[in-house]
Amino acid sequence: MKASTCAQPGDLVADFALPWASQVTRELLGLPTEAAPELAGWLRLLSTGEAADGHLDSDWTKALSRFDVAGLANPAGFLALCGLVLARDPEPAARLRREPRALPGALEELYRWSVMLGDSVTRIAREDAEVGGVRVRAGELVLISVDAANRDPAVFDSPERLDIDRRPSAPHLRFGQGRHFCPAAALNRAQTEVALRALLDTVPGLRPAVAPEKIRWRQDHAVLLPEMIPVRW
């Protein structure tokens, strides 16, 4: 986002989050620069449920959709949420401008605090077990909410509160754990830190142009992503 050339109000989704994530995805795929806007349009493949039946009709398209979720929608959705947090709360934004070294720690707290997944991680029990006082039998479906785990009051004090100085005794599960740990976690951390640093330095007066309840969210998508986030500066 070039604040000096953008008309106001701007849009943190269309002017910042999607272009940034699309450029990174383009470079990973070795595509030409002009392919980035087309990549941003791939979000139509991220529908879920009945809305997906019309276009997820081949193994190639399904594989492309999985890549699009991990490589485009997740980074774009998280960047949009981070931008919204910084726009609506000037105190942490000002702090991060004054203390650039605090950004990596703040980013980890944002990973924990943000609610991003529109569905749950699915697992099938291989044997009878008891989970959280609930009996699960072999063969039964278990839905695991990473977002809920990241706000577990048994692990995090005042989990609903965003605290950029938080140093929890246990890590968040935004990127999974063990053999299911996201292989692109380091890339996501790096690109998000650079993107937020650019946003903080380039648009110091960032603020929402509409009330939070006026922000509309995309429906039938695997990742929670606002349709647009109008902002001024």
Side-chain angles (χ1 to χ4, degrees), residues 166-178:
R166 186 189 299 272
R167 297 296 180 267
S169 58
H172 62 74
L173 299 178
R174 179 59 58 205
F175 296 111
Q177 191 177 40

Side-chain angles (χ1 to χ4, degrees), residues 6 47 59 66 73 91 102 110 128 139 147 152 174 178 200:
C6 288
S47 300
D59 291 339
R66 286 184 177 272
E91 184 175 338
L110 284 163
D128 292 351
D147 293 324
D152 185 351
R174 179 59 58 205
L200 288 165

Side-chain angles (χ1 to χ4, degrees), residues 110-224:
L110 284 163
Y111 280 126
R112 181 202 68 81
W113 178 83
S114 299
V115 177
M116 290 186 58
L117 297 180
D119 54 6
S120 301
V121 178
T122 57
R123 294 288 184 265
I124 300 295
R126 299 179 62 180
E127 58 186 39
D128 292 351
E130 185 171 309
V131 182
V134 177
R135 186 67 176 173
V136 178
R137 302 191 179 280
E140 290 184 335
L141 175 68
V142 179
L143 299 179
I144 304 169
S145 173
V146 173
D147 293 324
N150 283 338
R151 294 193 175 200
D152 185 351
V155 180
F156 305 99
D157 293 332
S158 303
E160 301 298 322
R161 179 169 56 89
L162 177 66
D163 180 5
I164 63 174
D165 292 313
R166 186 189 299 272
R167 297 296 180 267
S169 58
H172 62 74
L173 299 178
R174 179 59 58 205
F175 296 111
Q177 191 177 40
R179 66 178 181 176
H180 297 289
F181 190 77
C182 175
L187 171 63
N188 188 270
R189 283 186 168 106
Q191 70 161 310
T192 304
E193 184 175 342
V194 172
L196 292 183
R197 172 54 53 203
L199 184 67
L200 288 165
D201 292 344
T202 306
V203 197
L206 190 67
R207 61 190 186 279
V210 298
E213 60 270 18
K214 297 292 185 181
I215 295 176
R216 295 185 299 176
W217 297 77
R218 295 176 184 267
Q219 302 297 313
D220 299 312
H221 278 66
V223 177
L224 298 180

Side-chain angles (χ1 to χ4, degrees), residues 48-59:
T48 58
E50 295 182 0
D53 295 341
H55 57 256
L56 295 182
D57 54 1
S58 70
D59 291 339

Side-chain angles (χ1 to χ4, degrees), residues 1 10-18 80 83-84 87 199 206 229-231:
M1 176 187 294
D11 179 7
L12 280 178
V13 176
D15 298 330
F16 171 62
L18 272 179
L84 178 58
L199 184 67
L206 190 67
I229 303 177
V231 291

